[in-house]
Amino acid sequence: MTVRRDFQEPPRSRPDLVIGREDAFTSAREQLGRGGSVLLHGPAGIGKSTVLRALAADDAGAARTVLRCSATESESHLPFLALADLFGLVLDEISGRLPAAQRTALESALTGRGESTLQRDGLALRLAVLSALRALAAKGPVLVVADDLQWLDAASAELLGFAARRLGDTPVQMLCAVRTEGQEYDRHLRASPPDTLAVRLGPLSRTQVSALLDHRGYAPLSRSTIRDIHRTSGGNPLFALELGRALAESPARPRPGEPLPVPTSLRALVLNRLEMLSDEARRTLLVASAGARPTLALLHAAGREQAEAETAQAAALGLLATEAEGPAVRFAHPLISAALYAEAPARERRAVHAALSTAASDPIERARHLALATTGTDPEVAARLADAGALARDRGAPSVAASLGLLAARHTPADSTPGPDERRLQAAEDAITAGEADLARDIARDVLTRATVPAERVRAWMVVIEAAGQALGEVDAVFPQVLADAGDDPGLLALVHYQLAWRGLVVEGDFAEARQEAAHAAELAARGGDRRTELMALSFQASTETLMGHPDAPATVKRALREPQDPYVACHHNGAGSARFRWLIMSDQLPEARTTITALLREVRRRGMVESEVHFLRFLAETELRTGHCGRALDLARESLRLARDSGIGEGASAMLTSLAEASAGDVDQAMALAREAADHAEVDGDQMYLSRALAALGYAQLVAGDPTGAVRSLRRVRELEQSLGINDPARGRWHGDLAEALVRIGEPGEAQDVIETARVHALRLGRQSVLAVLDRAEALVRAAHGEHEAALVRLTSVQDRLGRLGYGLEEARAAFALARLRTQTAAFPRAGGTRLPGPASYDEAARLFRRCRALPWLRQVDAAVAAGPAAVEPASVAPPVALDALEGLASMERQVASLVMEGATNREIAARLFISVKTVEATLTRVYRKLGIRSRVDIVRLAAGRRTT
C-alpha cells in the first residue's frame, strides 16, 4: 500500500527497539539519512520487522511517498502480489505518465485483468516499474519498505530488482528485511540499489534479554532463570519472549536440572523437521539433548550404535551443526535441543539419563544424570550429588555446585544427617559465590519457613543479608531476628556482628561504629573457633581503619594476614588480600598493588567467585588508571560493569569506576551518565560510602567536560559526606585536588586554599606522597590566581617530576598541562617588568604525556588550547601582595617563628628548636597572622617566596 508523508508508525513498536539494537538502528538511520538504502537480515524472530517499522517511522517524514509491502509464505505463489501492494493505490496517479505499452502491462499485472506474465510482457513490465518509481520521485523522495523479502513472489522480486539496479540518482530509497541463516543475503543484495547497506541483526546479550522480558512485563524472573532463557533462546528476542510467556503462565517453575517449558508455538517452529527423522535417529537426538557436552563417543557409550548415520541424517535436515572433522554434536539452535527434550515423555527422559549416568566420563555429569533418572529420596544418590557438588566447587563452578546441591536436597531423606535443609543452605551459599543472589535468597527464605535449629536459621539469615548486597537497608529488620536466633553462641554471634559492621558502614555511614563491630566480631569468632569469620572481620576492620586514616591500620592488616589463613578469605573481595591491596594503593605502592590484585583476580576466576571478580576487575582498573594506562583501565572497567550488570552485583561501584575511566579515556558524556547512575544506586541502597565515591566521579567528569561550577557543586557535597562519615585519608577518593582546581576556575581561590590545607594535614600525617603532589599542583593554580607566577612555575615543575617518579602517569600529564597553560598565559599577558616565565610556552610535552596515557578527553582539551592560541587565555586575577617588609614590625619571637614556618617547619619542630611549647607556637602564629593581615601558614610561605624573587 502507499502511505503519504503524514504517516506515523504506531508507538507500540518503538520501545523494544532500544533494547540491544542501538548500534544497528543508528547505522541504518545514518545510511538512510545519506540517501542510501538498507537491507536488514538475520534469522527468524531476531527483530528485523521491529527495526524496519521503527526506521520507516523515522524516515517517512523525509519522503513524499512511502510504498509498502509485506509478504507471507502462504501467498508467495501468487504472481505480482507484492507489486500490487506497492503500486495499487498510486496507479491512477502514475498511469497517465507511462508509455502506452508499459501502462497496459502494469495495469494488467496489478488488476489481474488480462494474461500479463513475465514471459510475455517481461520488458514492458520491467520498464513500467522503473518508470513508475521515477514518476513518483519526480514529485518528491520515495521510500520503498519491504518486509520478509524471502516470501516475495518471484515476479515481483524480479521486477523490483530490475528497477533497483537502474535507479541511479533518482531519489528512491529501499528499506527491506529478509530472513537469512548465514551470509545468504548476497542474492537479495544484488537485487537492491548499488548503495545498499546490509545490516545483520544478531542475538541479544543476557542483559538485553533481561531488559526485554522486563519491558514486556515477564518479571520478576530470577537471574538464573534469565540465564536459562538466554541460553535456550540463543539470544533470539522472539524465542526469549515466548519462553518468558510460557514461564509466566506456568503454575510451577522448573526444578534444577529440568528444562524450561517450551510453548507449543516454538515447538512447532523448531520441531517440524523431526517428522522426517526415523524413530531411532530421534532417540539418538534425545540422548544428545540430555547431555551437557554430547559427542559421538558419548552417544555410542549410551547405546546409540548407529550414532554417525543418525546424526548425519539430522544434520542434513538442519537440526544439527556437527563439525565435519570433530567429534562434537552441536544442535543448530539451542531451542531445538530444549524443545526435543521437553517433547519427550518423562519415562523416556529417565531412561536416557540412566544410560548417561554410566556413559558419561565426568563424575559430576554421572551424578547429575543419576539424580535425574531417580525418583523419590535415595541417600546414596544424595551423597553422590553432594560429592559432585564439592568437586564442582573445587573446580571453580559454584553455579553447578548450587544446582547439584538442590538436587542432593531433593533426594535426601528428612531424617538424614546432613539433612535436606543443610544441603539447601550449602546450595544457597554456592549460589552467592556464583553471583546468583536471587536464587540464594529464595532458597534461604524457603529454609527459614521450617528450620528450628539455631545454626541453620542464622546461616539462612546470613544468606539473606549477603544477597542484599549494598542494599542492607532493605534487610534492616532482619538483625533483631537473627540476634535472637544466635542466642549466646559466640560463633553464631560473630557472624551477626560481622554483618552489623557492614550495616554500620553502609546504612549508618559510621566508620567508628563499623570498626568497633568488626573488632567485636573478630573477638567472638576467635572464642568460637571460627577462623574464617575471624579473618573476614579482621580484614573488614583493617579496610575501615585504612579509609579512616586510623593509626592502627598497618597493625590490623598484619593481623588479618597472620597464619593460619583460610583460602576462601585470602582471595575474597572483602578478605585479607583485598585489605592489603587497599593499603598498598593508598600508600602509593602501585607496582605491588597491581601484582597483588592480578593474582587475586586470577584466583577468584579459577574459583568462579563472580562477585569478587566484579570487584577485582574494578580494583585492577583503578590501579591502571592511576598508573596512567587509561585505555587498559577503560577496558577493564567496562568488563567489570558488564559482569556487574549481568549478575546484578556491584553495579553502583562498577559504574562509578567506569565513569572515572570514561572521563579519562573515553566519552565524557557517558562518564557523567554513569556517575549519576552510580549515585542513584547508592541513594536507593542508602549507601553513603559509595555515594561519596559516585559524586567524586561526577565532579571529576564535570571538570574534564569544562563545567567547573558543576564540579564544585558535586565535590562540595563529597566533602560534606566524608566529613560526616569520618573519612580522613585523602587517598581514599582523591577528589581534593579536583575541587581546589574547580574552585580556582570559578574565582574562589580562598576556599581552594582551605581545601588544600585541610587535606594536606592528613596527607602529611599518613605519608600520602602522591596526594601531596596533587595538592601542590592545585596550590600552584591558587598562586597563579594571586599573580605569583614564578612560584607557581617552580611548584608545577617540581610536581610534574614527583608524580612521574611515583608512577602516576595521568596526574603527571595534568601537571604538564597546567604548566603549559601557565606559560602560555604569561606569554600572552607579561608582567609589568616585561619579563616572561622561563621555558617554552608549548603544549607538546602535555600532549605527549596524555597520548602515552591514551587520555583522549584530556588530549582534546590540549588540542582546543592549541587551537585557541595565547590570545584566548584569560589573565589570572591578582591578589593584593603582602608587604615585603612586614616582618620588620614583628616582635623577636614572632619573627623567629615566622622564619621557621617559611623554612617549612611544623609547629612541633618549631617548638623543639626554640625550646617552647606547641601551644606557645600556635599562640604566636595567631598574633603573626593578625599583624600581617593574613590567614594561614601558607600565606607566610608565599611571603617568603616574594622575598626570594625580589
Side-chain angles (χ1 to χ4, degrees):
M1 67 177 182
T2 304
V3 186
R4 297 294 180 184
R5 63 178 303 155
D6 59 352
F7 162 81
Q8 289 187 352
E9 184 69 17
R12 62 168 299 277
S13 68
R14 302 288 297 169
D16 292 345
L17 170 68
V18 300
I19 302 174
R21 299 303 182 207
E22 295 85 350
D23 291 344
F25 180 77
T26 300
S27 298
R29 185 170 57 185
E30 289 175 352
Q31 170 72 358
L32 292 169
R34 291 189 291 266
S37 296
V38 172
L39 176 67
L40 303 170
H41 66 99
I46 206 67
K48 302 179 298 298
S49 297
T50 299
V51 176
L52 180 126
R53 286 194 299 268
L55 285 168
D58 271 18
D59 201 55
R64 176 187 178 272
T65 305
V66 177
L67 307 177
R68 284 179 157 270
C69 70
S70 183
T72 63
E73 184 177 11
S74 62
E75 298 170 340
S76 60
H77 66 286
L78 300 174
F80 306 122
L81 182 61
L83 203 66
D85 285 341
L86 290 170
F87 294 107
L89 297 181
V90 294
L91 183 60
D92 292 342
E93 180 182 345
I94 60 175
S95 61
R97 305 181 62 184
L98 302 180
Q102 295 179 22
R103 181 173 61 251
T104 300
L106 184 61
E107 288 178 348
S108 177
L110 297 185
T111 62
R113 295 191 298 269
E115 296 294 332
S116 180
T117 65
L118 276 180
Q119 288 72 29
R120 192 182 71 185
D121 303 317
L123 180 59
L125 272 174
R126 287 174 171 82
L127 293 175
V129 172
L130 180 59
S131 298
L133 289 172
R134 286 173 173 166
L136 290 170
K139 297 182 178 181
V142 176
L143 177 65
V144 178
V145 182
D147 199 2
D148 283 317
L149 282 185
Q150 74 277 3
W151 304 132
L152 229 63
D153 63 274
S156 297
E158 168 63 24
L159 294 171
L160 277 177
F162 176 87
R165 293 189 295 271
R166 291 165 175 79
L167 285 169
D169 294 333
T170 306
V172 176
Q173 296 173 271
M174 295 186 70
L175 173 58
C176 306
V178 62
R179 180 186 299 181
T180 59
E181 294 299 332
Q183 298 300 312
E184 63 207 49
Y185 67 90
D186 283 353
R187 65 186 180 90
H188 298 286
L189 197 59
R190 287 193 294 270
S192 303
D195 62 350
T196 299
L197 173 69
V199 177
R200 179 169 178 79
L201 300 184
L204 300 181
S205 69
R206 191 193 306 182
T207 302
Q208 291 163 348
V209 165
S210 176
L212 180 62
L213 291 167
D214 183 61
H215 168 68
R216 288 296 185 91
Y218 300 136
L221 295 172
S222 70
R223 292 186 181 274
S224 56
T225 300
I226 290 171
R227 179 195 62 199
D228 291 342
I229 290 175
H230 179 257
R231 184 181 62 242
T232 303
S233 68
N236 184 297
L238 173 64
F239 297 172
L241 287 170
E242 286 297 295
L243 290 168
R245 181 181 60 78
L247 277 171
E249 295 174 354
S250 175
R253 298 290 164 87
R255 295 188 295 181
E258 293 182 345
L260 294 176
V262 180
T264 305
S265 58
L266 291 186
R267 293 189 197 186
L269 179 65
V270 299
L271 296 181
N272 54 2
R273 283 170 287 185
L274 281 175
E275 297 175 359
M276 303 174 67
L277 283 176
S278 66
D279 290 342
E280 291 302 312
R282 183 166 180 153
R283 290 192 187 95
T284 295
L285 288 195
L286 179 59
V287 175
S289 72
R293 293 171 296 277
T295 62
L296 290 172
L298 178 67
L299 295 178
H300 279 298
R304 307 312 302 166
E305 297 177 357
Q306 303 300 318
E308 285 89 348
E310 289 159 358
T311 54
Q313 182 187 358
L317 292 172
L319 294 166
L320 293 180
T322 309
E323 302 291 337
E325 302 295 331
V329 176
R330 185 166 58 85
F331 283 89
H333 192 281
L335 191 61
I336 298 173
S337 173
L340 178 63
Y341 187 93
E343 189 82 359
R347 178 179 49 78
E348 272 191 58
R349 289 190 215 163
R350 287 195 296 272
V352 165
H353 286 298
L356 288 171
S357 69
T358 57
S361 58
D362 185 82
I364 293 176
E365 277 301 291
R366 288 200 299 271
R368 184 177 73 88
H369 288 301
L370 179 61
L372 295 174
T374 305
T375 58
T377 60
D378 187 321
E380 183 179 345
V381 171
R384 284 186 59 180
L385 284 164
D387 291 343
L391 180 58
R393 203 174 302 118
D394 290 342
R395 288 182 180 179
S399 179
V400 174
S403 177
L404 291 167
L406 290 174
L407 284 171
R410 188 198 308 175
H411 291 287
T412 301
D415 57 352
S416 294
T417 303
D421 278 344
E422 190 170 348
R423 284 183 164 143
R424 288 188 182 94
L425 288 172
Q426 179 61 65
E429 290 162 357
D430 287 327
I432 285 285
T433 302
E436 298 179 10
D438 46 2
L439 173 62
R441 180 174 48 249
D442 290 345
I443 297 170
R445 290 201 176 277
D446 175 56
V447 170
L448 284 166
T449 61
R450 57 182 171 272
T452 57
V453 178
E456 287 188 356
R457 289 189 62 80
V458 171
R459 192 175 170 189
W461 284 124
M462 291 301 104
V463 171
V464 171
I465 294 169
E466 286 280 353
Q470 296 296 113
L472 283 176
E474 296 179 1
V475 293
D476 216 23
V478 163
F479 288 100
Q481 300 176 57
V482 69
L483 278 169
D485 285 334
D488 56 2
D489 186 315
L492 298 180
L493 285 171
L495 294 170
V496 182
H497 282 279
Y498 174 71
Q499 295 295 348
L500 284 170
W502 278 104
R503 180 188 177 279
L505 184 65
V506 173
V507 179
E508 300 296 334
D510 190 332
F511 274 67
E513 178 187 340
R515 174 178 175 270
Q516 182 178 351
E517 286 285 3
H520 186 40
E523 178 189 347
L524 287 166
R527 283 167 45 199
D530 183 353
R531 182 61 175 163
R532 173 173 291 189
T533 302
E534 181 186 5
L535 289 171
M536 290 294 288
L538 286 171
S539 300
F540 179 87
Q541 182 183 345
S543 297
T544 304
E545 289 174 350
T546 298
L547 296 175
M548 294 171 69
H550 196 283
D552 290 349
T556 309
V557 171
K558 289 180 181 178
R559 287 179 63 200
L561 291 169
R562 193 175 297 159
E563 295 293 339
Q565 281 293 312
D566 182 295
Y568 174 82
V569 177
C571 65
H572 192 276
H573 61 280
N574 290 321
S578 183
R580 180 171 182 269
F581 164 78
R582 289 189 181 94
W583 174 256
L584 288 169
I585 199 167
M586 292 176 72
S587 301
D588 298 324
Q589 300 179 55
L590 297 182
E592 294 88 343
R594 180 192 282 114
T595 301
T596 298
I597 200 63
T598 301
L600 288 169
L601 178 59
R602 187 185 307 116
E603 179 62 14
V604 299
R605 280 175 165 166
R606 187 187 72 78
R607 289 172 171 267
M609 298 169 67
V610 174
E611 184 173 7
S612 293
E613 183 180 356
V614 168
H615 290 295
F616 287 158
L617 280 168
R618 178 170 59 86
F619 291 168
L620 183 55
E622 181 180 358
T623 308
E624 298 293 359
L625 196 59
R626 292 193 184 182
T627 54
H629 301 140
C630 299
R632 168 74 172 151
L634 182 57
D635 291 341
L636 288 164
R638 286 173 173 171
E639 185 181 354
S640 173
L641 184 58
R642 282 194 298 271
L643 186 57
R645 285 176 170 166
D646 193 38
S647 62
I649 294 172
E651 292 180 74
S654 292
M656 174 274 298
L657 200 283
T658 309
S659 169
L660 291 172
E662 288 282 1
S664 299
D667 185 327
V668 180
D669 290 336
Q670 176 70 359
M672 289 190 284
L674 285 168
R676 291 188 174 100
E677 176 188 332
D680 288 344
H681 273 291
E683 295 270 22
V684 169
D685 293 344
D687 186 344
Q688 298 297 299
M689 184 173 66
Y690 267 111
L691 178 59
S692 72
R693 293 294 306 273
L695 291 171
L698 177 59
Y700 172 68
Q702 290 167 325
L703 185 64
V704 177
D707 178 17
T709 302
V712 167
R713 185 167 54 250
S714 299
L715 295 174
R716 277 175 175 163
R717 190 176 174 200
V718 175
R719 180 172 56 180
E720 294 169 1
L721 281 168
E722 295 206 350
Q723 284 174 349
S724 66
L725 289 168
I727 298 174
N728 294 317
D729 193 335
R732 187 254 181 176
R734 295 178 180 263
W735 49 266
H736 310 77
D738 292 336
L739 175 55
E741 181 176 338
L743 286 165
V744 170
R745 289 193 192 181
I746 67 170
E748 294 288 350
E751 184 182 346
Q753 189 63 49
D754 289 340
V755 170
I756 293 166
E757 289 174 7
T758 302
R760 182 177 281 136
V761 170
H762 297 293
L764 282 167
R765 175 174 60 85
L766 297 166
R768 305 302 192 220
Q769 295 302 316
S770 64
V771 173
L772 288 168
V774 169
L775 293 174
D776 284 349
R777 184 185 69 205
E779 189 171 33
L781 301 178
V782 174
R783 289 191 172 200
H786 285 298
E788 301 172 31
H789 294 154
E790 292 90 343
L793 171 67
V794 172
R795 181 65 59 89
L796 284 172
T797 304
S798 170
V799 164
Q800 182 182 342
D801 179 63
R802 287 156 59 196
L803 288 167
R805 282 187 279 109
L806 287 167
Y808 284 78
L810 181 58
E811 299 293 356
E812 177 192 4
R814 289 181 64 180
F817 188 30
L819 190 57
R821 288 177 66 89
L822 178 60
R823 284 176 172 154
T824 303
Q825 175 181 295
T826 56
F829 302 95
R831 293 168 298 160
T835 59
R836 302 181 183 221
L837 292 182
S842 168
Y843 290 98
D844 290 348
E845 174 71 357
R848 181 185 71 80
L849 292 173
F850 281 134
R851 196 174 295 112
R852 184 181 69 183
C853 295
R854 280 185 57 192
L856 302 182
W858 286 104
L859 266 175
R860 286 191 282 271
Q861 286 198 30
V862 173
D863 291 342
V866 171
V873 181
E874 292 294 331
S877 59
V878 180
V882 178
L884 295 179
D885 60 352
L887 292 187
E888 302 303 325
L890 298 177
S892 174
M893 177 62 74
E894 293 168 352
R895 280 201 306 273
Q896 291 181 67
V897 171
S899 296
L900 289 172
V901 170
M902 290 176 180
E903 294 176 13
T906 65
N907 288 2
R908 189 173 297 279
E909 290 168 342
I910 294 170
R913 289 174 64 175
L914 297 180
F915 303 101
I916 59 178
S917 69
V918 174
K919 287 189 176 181
T920 301
V921 175
E922 293 171 350
T924 303
L925 279 175
T926 300
R927 293 195 301 272
V928 170
Y929 298 157
R930 186 174 64 251
K931 289 182 179 182
L932 297 182
I934 59 179
R935 296 187 302 168
S936 68
R937 297 168 60 93
V938 176
D939 290 328
I940 298 179
V941 176
R942 290 200 189 107
L943 181 59
R947 276 188 182 277
R948 287 193 293 270
T949 56
T950 300

